[in-house]
Amino acid sequence: IVHHPNWVNCEMFKPNTIWTLPIFKVLYVGRLVKEKNLLALARTCASLEVTLTCVGEGPLWDDLVKLGARCVGPQPWEDLPGWYRGPYIFALTSLSEGHPKALTEAMASGLPCVVSEAVTEGGNAVIRVAPENLAEGIKLALANREYGIAARAHAIQHWDVRNLMPREIRYLKEAARG
């Protein structure tokens, strides 16, 4: 058994270096389902008067819109870098999670990332919070772009496709030889 994490194209997913305005938006990318704890995220964003943008689809769409979230539906993969380059922080408040591709993309894009305790990826480059501390985590991320710099460095070190793809190809060739 070999641990091989999701890769991210760090040349495609990269920071927007021209933002100078304060960040007052939260981005979520993924399925709009209960296990992602999105209703709590939407309520928290509403209480902070921060816009939540959800890229994806799922059964929580209507409930999220009622709570003030902006739901834009699924987007083509090649368009995702543009979403991650907006004036956002990224939030992943899942109740359970594996190795989320959206987190690797957000970190490679240099977004400060707030994640739940269920998210084990990201090391010290993410703001990991208990559900009851979600508002404090979002406030910290909104005020502190240094988390985005740390997130990008972590993504490059651990998940850059230029490092992981050759290993993945090697594993597949070894498996094929049997």
Side-chain angles (χ1 to χ4, degrees):
I1 297 176
V2 174
H3 171 72
H4 189 75
N6 282 327
W7 54 263
V8 62
N9 183 334
C10 291
E11 293 301 312
M12 182 176 176
F13 291 90
K14 58 186 175 184
N16 181 350
T17 58
I18 63 170
W19 292 112
T20 57
L21 299 174
I23 300 170
F24 295 111
K25 297 180 183 181
V26 175
L27 177 68
Y28 167 81
V29 177
R31 296 175 300 123
L32 309 181
V33 294
K34 184 178 179 180
E35 58 267 20
K36 300 297 184 177
N37 202 23
L38 295 172
L39 297 180
L41 177 60
R43 283 188 206 96
T44 300
C45 288
S47 73
L48 295 173
E49 298 181 3
V50 171
T51 302
L52 170 62
T53 298
C54 297
V55 175
E57 64 183 343
L60 293 182
W61 180 294
D62 291 337
D63 293 328
L64 289 165
V65 169
K66 286 176 188 171
L67 289 169
R70 174 179 172 231
C71 296
V72 298
Q75 302 294 309
W77 182 74
E78 59 273 8
D79 292 345
L80 286 178
W83 287 97
Y84 289 112
R85 286 190 195 115
Y88 297 110
I89 66 163
F90 179 79
L92 185 61
T93 55
S94 301
L95 300 172
S96 65
E97 193 63 68
H99 180 40
K101 190 74 167 168
L103 179 62
T104 65
E105 294 166 347
M107 290 179 73
S109 299
L111 295 182
C113 297
V114 178
V115 301
S116 69
E117 295 172 318
V119 178
T120 59
E121 298 295 331
N124 293 327
V126 298
I127 301 168
R128 200 171 319 282
V129 296
E132 63 273 13
N133 296 326
L134 182 56
E136 288 78 20
I138 289 173
K139 288 180 202 175
L140 180 61
L142 289 169
N144 204 330
R145 290 187 189 208
E146 287 77 27
Y147 282 103
I149 295 166
R152 171 116 175 121
H154 186 91
I156 289 170
Q157 180 181 359
H158 295 281
W159 306 316
D160 194 321
V161 68
R162 294 167 291 188
N163 298 325
L164 290 181
M165 192 56 67
R167 284 188 4 212
E168 186 170 329
I169 291 168
R170 188 175 71 245
Y171 296 147
L172 291 172
K173 285 180 178 179
E174 289 172 4
R177 283 185 281 227

